[in-house]
Amino acid sequence: MKKTFKLIDLDCANCAAKMEAAIKKLDGVTDATVSFMTQKMTIEGDDARFDDIVKEAVKVCKKVEPDCEVVIK
């Protein structure tokens, strides 16, 4: 499964790179991109665990950038 999420208040490209690297290390993730320019995060991962992967990714984002909010539709 592959989904894109909008990010609010992502402050710098360096933070986006840190988030992307950390999300790629999560169990079940096959690919991830975090774009500072478009303020979007795309996660591709295991269908059966996708909800858990998204929750973990949100935690990672908060750890790197506490002010950043991930919009989950």
Side-chain angles (χ1 to χ4, degrees), residues 1-3 5 23 28-33 42-47 50 53:
M1 183 181 283
K2 184 176 184 178
K3 273 194 176 176
F5 303 92
I23 292 168
V29 174
T30 52
D31 195 24
T33 55
T42 303
I43 302 173
E44 192 172 338
D46 184 15
D47 288 4
F50 202 77
I53 290 169

Side-chain angles (χ1 to χ4, degrees), residues 1 22 38 41:
M1 183 181 283
T38 62
M41 168 178 69

Side-chain angles (χ1 to χ4, degrees), residues 7-41:
L7 299 173
I8 299 172
D9 291 336
L10 177 57
D11 291 338
C12 68
N14 189 36
C15 293
K18 286 181 186 176
M19 287 178 189
E20 184 175 309
I23 292 168
K24 283 183 177 180
K25 291 178 186 172
L26 294 175
D27 191 36
V29 174
T30 52
D31 195 24
T33 55
V34 179
S35 173
F36 169 67
M37 294 300 287
T38 62
Q39 298 278 300
K40 289 187 180 168
M41 168 178 69

